[in-house]
Every structure is written in C-alpha cells, then in structure tokens.
Amino acid sequence: MNIVILGSGNIASHIGKAFHTLGHQILQVYSRNWANAHALASVLNADALDTIEEITDRADLYFIAVTDQAIQQVADQLPEPLHGIVVHCSGATDINILAGFPLHGVIYPVQGLSKDVTASLRDIPFGIEGSDQKIADSLLRLTRHISAKPFLCNTEQRLALHLAAVFANNFSNVLFQIAYEILKEQNLTFDLLKPIILETAQKVQKQIPKDVQTGPAKRRDMETIQKHLQFLMKTPHWLKIYQELTQEITRKKH
C-alpha cells in the first residue's frame, strides 16, 4: 500500500515506522516544519514536504496525524480529487470532519505515544471507523497488520473512550505528581509509592476498579479523612481535589 503521512509528531512517527517495517511504501511525509518532515521522511525512505499542495494524488491512504485543532485545516488544503482513503487518528474528532472526501475514516490508537520512546503497537487497541462498512472493514484489516487489538466503533463511542482514557491516564498522572510533591516536601522519595501504584494497576487488569477500591473513604474513616484535610489546608486546590474524589468514593454503593 502507498501511504502519505501528514504530520511528523508522536503518532505519525510510530504509525509511519510500523507500516514501513511491514513493507508498505511511505511516499511522502508532510509537516509545516520542513526539518521535522525531513527527519521522519529520512527514516521512512519517503519524500519530505512542507507544502501541502505537493501531496500526491496516487496514494492509497492519507494518514492525518496532526493536532485536533489542525485536522480541519489540513483536510481543507488537501488537493482534490483524492482516490485513496483519508483518515485522521483523533479520539475526540468527529469522522464527518473528513466528509469532503469520498473515502474516509478514523484509525485511533488508544495510547499516549512519544516518538522518542520505543513502543510496541501490537498490544495497543485501535478504534476503527469508516465512512461506510467497506471502508471500515478495509481499515480494520490494515490495522491488524500492526495491532492485535483493532475494533470497530462509532464517533460517540470513540469520544467516550477518549474521555475515559483522560480519566484513567492523564488525570491519574497528575495525581501521581501531587503525591510526588507531597512527599518531596517531607524529604521522602516517590519511589516509596511505586509498589502500591503497580499493585493497583495490576488489580484492575482482572477486576472492576470499584471492587478493588481501598482507603479511608471506602472505609468511611472520617477521623483519618479529617487529618488529611487538615494537612492539605495550606494547598486549597489539592484540598478541593481530595474532597471531590473522597465524595465520589463514598457516594458509591459497594
């Protein structure tokens, strides 16, 4: 398959390299920054472009891997007509943003990727959506070459998955940072929490999160909760987070 990559960042790098390794021909890599386009294109044996008007019309797949805010702009600037499938990789962007192309879809990796960090795509789920069933099936077959876990979904399901990922990944990570700073202030190392973080992550691989919930809120231990609240008085923003999460746990019926 002949592929054009539009973007040179994290997802573009991982997806481009994965397809290239499998023998697909990456024809072009486009980025507004030519140096970035050239850096990725040189790895993929592709032509580097910083002018979108030079995009070829003979590719089978056009993979838009830019920020959500830039997808519309890139799509509007693509030359017409394009006979290949045009896809974006956003979790929160409607498929209809590409409705101007007869063949379009979404290939959404449910993972935070960094281009400087090696990652195997085999175990990463990919949400697949197509402008019709034929396109969806085609993208599903293609994605199975790089991942063992592609699945069909619609735009609303994909948005829900993206939102859930923000809670599970982004929000948990900022809580890790809060914990890091609380410990640092007391001259304690964050390493002390790594075993319990790992244990929690391992538990939810096999069980529903609410079924493995522990801690003072689950036990309705108001004495300990009050001590925590008192400790957090000097950081009101953390105090508010603690209160909201405590209320979320205590209102659950276990």
Side-chain angles (χ1 to χ4, degrees):
M1 176 175 281
N2 293 325
I3 300 173
V4 170
I5 304 290
L6 295 111
S8 58
N10 297 326
I11 295 178
S13 297
H14 281 280
I15 296 295
K17 291 174 184 177
F19 282 136
H20 177 67
T21 299
L22 289 170
H24 295 285
Q25 180 65 49
I26 312 300
L27 300 178
Q28 297 170 321
V29 174
Y30 162 78
S31 174
R32 291 180 301 175
N33 183 306
W34 188 86
N36 291 342
H38 177 70
L40 181 57
S42 63
V43 175
L44 304 179
N45 194 28
D47 293 331
L49 302 177
D50 61 1
T51 305
I52 203 166
E53 289 78 15
E54 296 181 40
I55 296 292
T56 180
D57 63 356
R58 59 187 179 90
D60 302 304
L61 180 72
Y62 296 85
F63 192 88
I64 301 176
V66 297
T67 64
D68 288 12
Q69 295 74 22
I71 294 174
Q72 184 73 71
Q73 181 181 3
V74 169
D76 289 345
Q77 292 178 353
L78 281 172
E80 297 182 8
L82 293 178
H83 303 293
I85 305 173
V86 180
V87 304
H88 70 67
C89 58
S90 167
T93 304
D94 198 299
I95 188 175
N96 290 329
I97 200 170
L98 301 177
F101 303 98
L103 310 177
H104 60 276
V106 180
I107 300 176
Y108 164 53
V110 190
Q111 179 73 299
L113 296 169
S114 299
K115 62 181 178 181
D116 297 326
V117 178
T118 301
S120 171
L121 303 184
R122 293 304 302 170
D123 294 326
I124 295 176
F126 280 76
I128 306 300
E129 189 174 1
S131 51
D132 57 40
Q133 191 60 48
K134 183 178 179 180
I135 296 301
D137 290 341
S138 177
L139 295 177
L140 192 65
R141 288 192 298 271
L142 174 65
T143 309
R144 285 197 179 112
H145 294 164
I146 61 174
S147 169
K149 298 181 179 181
F151 62 97
L152 296 176
C153 63
N154 59 39
T155 290
E156 186 173 8
Q157 290 173 322
R158 183 161 40 82
L159 178 60
L161 181 57
H162 187 268
L163 173 60
V166 167
F167 271 96
N169 181 35
N170 305 135
F171 290 172
S172 64
N173 192 67
V174 77
L175 294 178
F176 294 156
Q177 181 61 32
I178 291 173
Y180 173 90
E181 293 179 30
I182 289 172
L183 292 177
K184 182 180 179 182
E185 187 177 300
Q186 297 297 320
N187 295 316
L188 294 169
T189 173
F190 185 68
D191 288 347
L192 295 169
L193 291 183
K194 290 180 179 178
I196 197 171
I197 291 172
L198 183 60
E199 179 191 25
T200 302
Q202 290 173 335
K203 284 179 179 178
V204 299
Q205 302 303 311
K206 298 181 179 180
Q207 295 175 270
I208 298 173
K210 72 178 183 65
D211 292 341
V212 295
Q213 184 69 55
T214 61
K218 170 67 183 297
R219 299 190 303 269
R220 306 299 202 272
D221 181 355
M222 299 309 299
E223 182 177 350
T224 297
I225 290 172
Q226 287 302 318
K227 290 178 180 178
H228 290 170
L229 294 173
Q230 185 64 37
F231 188 94
L232 291 169
M233 289 296 289
K234 57 187 175 182
T235 49
H237 51 297
W238 291 352
L239 175 64
K240 184 176 180 180
I241 292 171
Y242 184 98
Q243 289 173 321
E244 292 288 344
L245 293 178
T246 295
Q247 290 173 10
E248 178 65 17
I249 295 170
T250 55
R251 76 176 182 84
K252 296 290 186 183
K253 294 181 180 180
H254 296 281

